[in-house]
Amino acid sequence: MRLTLPGSWAEQVALPDGTLEGIAGFVQEERACGHEVLPAPGQFFRALECLEPHQVRVVILGQDPYPTPGHAEGLSFSVAPRVRPFPGSLRNILREWSEDLGHPLPTHGSLLPWARSGVLLLNTVLSVRAGQPGSHRGCGWEAVTAAILRAVAAGRERVVFMLWGNDARRHASWLRAGPHVVLEAGHPSPLSARLFRGCRCFSEANRLLRETGRGPVDWRLEETLAL
């Protein structure tokens, strides 16, 4: 298995030699031992495939992919349109989104429309062993996602970084450099949702983008999406 960053991300993300090769070796070993790795390797960099670095308006940084088979699809917190019921974190995100912006709750859990509007839906760790959240921490992904964040932060236009949960919030101090803004909140997991609810981060992100003349994110979610 070979891992490569897509498009212009490969040119702008600076990684030490051997970083992706090391992660690929780790994933191969996991699979050789009979563990299911989520999402499918072809979706590890799906968030980057949806937009180029200069198109990023907002970064939503989560922890690691959903550990339930059929849920993770390479976009943080998002699931395929057919997935029911929604994972607990996603339910809390959509409830906050609905209350913040006044949209009715959607009938699907795909956040792909956000990605297409300039939201980088990134996790700190981009893979997980099925049924074992946090199982791929320390295998090298943290260095990759930190480099991705640095590439986004190197741009001159304002980006709003939404850091949800302690893993994401570790990046807060250095991401505030330059024109960028950090919005911190608790993780939307049911275990910490009380620290997430009421953050109003969606409307606040658009207000901050308008301040510098960047177009706002279109946060709408289609009522239905093709399965």
Side-chain angles (χ1 to χ4, degrees):
M1 183 179 67
R2 185 166 180 261
L3 294 179
T4 57
L5 297 175
S8 60
W9 291 99
E11 302 169 2
Q12 298 189 37
V13 175
L15 290 172
D17 290 343
T19 301
L20 293 179
E21 290 80 359
I23 296 170
F26 172 85
V27 171
Q28 284 181 309
E29 184 175 346
E30 285 279 271
R31 297 169 76 185
C33 292
H35 300 299
E36 183 178 4
V37 175
L38 305 174
Q43 293 183 316
F44 286 169
F45 297 124
R46 189 178 178 211
L48 305 184
E49 293 168 355
C50 290
L51 68 175
E52 299 292 337
H54 71 276
Q55 296 174 317
V56 177
R57 293 185 174 93
V58 171
V59 177
I60 294 180
L61 187 61
Q63 294 183 357
D64 57 354
Y66 294 126
T68 302
H71 282 189
E73 61 165 7
L75 303 174
S76 63
F77 300 108
S78 181
V79 295
R82 66 183 180 277
V83 171
R84 300 290 188 284
F86 298 162
S89 295
L90 180 58
R91 285 199 307 271
N92 288 323
I93 290 168
L94 293 176
R95 188 175 297 119
E96 177 65 24
W97 165 85
S98 176
E99 293 174 0
D100 184 15
L101 300 177
H103 298 312
L105 288 170
T107 58
H108 62 85
S110 173
L111 306 182
L112 182 59
W114 294 358
R116 291 171 173 163
S117 189
V119 181
L120 181 62
L121 295 165
L122 187 67
N123 277 313
T124 305
V125 175
L126 300 184
S127 65
V128 70
R129 185 186 296 176
Q132 298 186 37
S135 52
H136 285 189
R137 289 181 178 179
C139 80
W141 283 126
E142 292 88 347
V144 176
T145 53
I148 292 169
L149 292 174
R150 285 194 294 271
V152 173
R156 295 184 178 181
E157 292 193 279
R158 172 172 287 179
V159 174
V160 178
F161 292 90
M162 295 186 186
L163 307 183
W164 298 344
N166 291 335
D167 284 5
R169 294 169 78 176
R170 293 191 181 100
H171 297 283
S173 58
W174 70 267
L175 284 173
R176 288 192 172 93
H180 308 305
V181 179
V182 171
L183 301 179
E184 297 183 58
H187 195 276
S189 161
L191 296 175
S192 55
R194 62 183 178 81
L195 302 175
F196 173 77
R197 295 292 304 279
C199 66
R200 299 296 186 263
C201 50
F202 304 101
S203 59
E204 179 65 4
N206 276 359
R207 184 188 70 79
L208 292 164
L209 291 171
R210 288 189 182 98
E211 278 185 355
T212 56
R214 294 207 78 180
V217 170
D218 183 354
W219 291 109
R220 291 175 297 176
L221 292 171
E222 291 93 332
E223 182 63 21
T224 58
L225 288 177
L227 297 181

